[in-house]
């Protein structure tokens, strides 16, 4: 079981203005949490802070696996992330980028899983084409593959339905449902009620 203990964390930028303040959470495998709030309330910032992509100003975040505390670097190998601001290497094809991602993560290339993911998101027919030629929706589906290609225990999603049509949204829902049924820990930052419904628990941030 993977656990994240968040104790009194706050994030402040210039002039010591808090983006969010004194957040306390205990998250573990099998939990699904949506983070909601008005624009500027810190949803994306909190998600990135929990993931360790940016540092918290006060408080602490403790990651543990099977009751043993792990480092930030160790935690990084266990999560997948899908965000609108995530840049991908568009000069590669989907299959090339998945292979590269496997290698960067120090994993053996799992060609079977890579092809299965591309099939799920409807990109199998374009697996050898350059991603730079893709539409915004196709790029979003490619990002979804990258979030899942290492079988993560934790999934961070920031507005996951961005740029997706009805079919693409259904793909996200199906993959998230499979992830949850496998006891994954899901965290979504959103103001979309349909995205919020993917989670059982909610944390609303106030400015």
């Amino acid at each position: 079981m993977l656990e994240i203990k968040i104790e009194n964390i706050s994030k402040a930028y210039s002039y010591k203005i808090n983006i969010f303040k004194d957040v306390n959470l205990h998250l573990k495998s099998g939990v699904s949490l949506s983070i909601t709030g008005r624009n500027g309330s810190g949803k994306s910032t909190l998600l990135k802070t929990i993931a360790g992509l940016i540092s918290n100003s006060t408080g602490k975040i403790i990651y543990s696996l099977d009751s043993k505390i792990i480092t930030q670097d160790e935690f990084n190998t266990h999560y997948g992330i899908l965000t609108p601001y995530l840049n991908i290497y568009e000069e590669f094809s989907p299959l090339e980028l998945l292979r590269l991602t496997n290698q960067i993560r120090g994993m053996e290339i799992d060609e079977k899983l890579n092809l299965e993911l591309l099939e799920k998101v409807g990109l199998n027919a374009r697996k050898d084409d350059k991603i730079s030629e893709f539409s915004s929706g196709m790029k979003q589906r490619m990002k979804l593959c990258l979030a899942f290609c290492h079988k993560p225990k934790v999934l961070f999603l920031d507005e996951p339905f961005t740029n997706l049509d009805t079919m693409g949204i259904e793909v996200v829902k199906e993959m998230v449902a499979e992830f949850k049924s496998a006891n994954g820990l899901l965290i979504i930052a959103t103001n979309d009620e349909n995205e919020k419904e993917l989670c059982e628990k909610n944390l609303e941030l106030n400015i």
Side-chain angles (χ1 to χ4, degrees):
M1 175 180 290
L2 194 145
E3 295 182 78
I4 306 174
K5 292 182 180 179
I6 298 162
E7 301 179 355
N8 295 311
I9 66 167
S10 302
K11 181 63 181 179
Y13 288 117
S14 58
Y15 306 108
K16 297 183 179 180
I17 297 174
N18 285 301
I19 306 302
F20 55 82
K21 184 178 181 181
D22 298 332
V23 174
N24 289 276
L25 291 167
H26 184 190
L27 306 171
K28 58 184 178 181
S29 299
V31 168
S32 57
L33 174 76
S34 60
I35 302 171
T36 59
R38 295 187 300 171
N39 291 343
S41 59
K43 300 182 298 296
S44 296
T45 302
L46 178 56
L47 182 140
K48 288 188 285 187
T49 303
I50 297 172
L53 296 175
I54 59 178
S55 60
N56 42 298
S57 301
T58 62
K60 60 182 178 180
I61 302 175
I62 303 169
Y63 308 104
S64 61
L65 181 63
D66 297 329
S67 300
K68 179 183 178 183
I69 293 176
I70 59 175
T71 65
Q72 175 70 61
D73 286 343
E74 290 172 316
F75 175 69
N76 292 344
T77 66
H78 293 295
Y79 78 77
I81 187 166
L82 171 65
T83 73
Y85 41 81
L86 179 68
N87 293 318
I88 56 177
Y89 299 109
E90 297 188 4
E91 64 269 30
F92 294 104
S93 71
L95 203 50
E96 288 172 336
L97 185 54
L98 284 168
R99 290 168 180 162
L100 177 63
T101 302
N102 291 152
Q103 292 174 327
I104 289 173
R105 287 184 172 276
M107 303 165 50
E108 290 186 11
I109 295 174
D110 191 338
E111 200 78 337
K112 182 174 182 290
L113 176 59
N114 290 341
L115 290 170
E116 285 176 354
L117 288 169
L118 292 173
E119 177 76 31
K120 281 184 178 180
V121 304
L123 291 178
N124 53 308
R126 303 291 302 273
K127 67 181 184 296
D128 297 313
D129 297 340
K130 284 191 176 182
I131 296 170
S132 58
E133 301 170 357
F134 288 3
S135 68
S136 57
M138 293 168 70
K139 290 175 183 176
Q140 181 75 350
R141 285 184 273 148
M142 185 66 230
K143 293 178 184 180
L144 187 63
C145 289
L146 295 173
F148 278 92
C149 70
H150 59 298
K151 300 179 181 179
K153 292 180 171 62
V154 184
L155 192 58
F156 293 101
L157 305 179
D158 193 346
E159 300 180 347
F161 296 167
T162 299
N163 295 323
L164 294 178
D165 56 16
T166 301
M167 186 176 295
I169 290 171
E170 288 305 312
V171 168
V172 173
K173 288 181 177 179
E174 290 173 10
M175 293 179 72
V176 166
E178 290 176 7
F179 176 77
K180 289 168 63 179
S181 68
N183 206 38
L185 168 55
L186 174 67
I187 304 171
I188 299 180
T190 183
N191 263 339
D192 185 311
E193 285 298 321
N194 292 317
E195 294 175 341
K196 181 181 174 183
E197 288 177 0
L198 297 175
C199 300
E200 278 72 51
K201 297 184 177 182
N202 176 249
L203 171 66
E204 184 169 2
L205 299 178
N206 296 306
I207 297 176

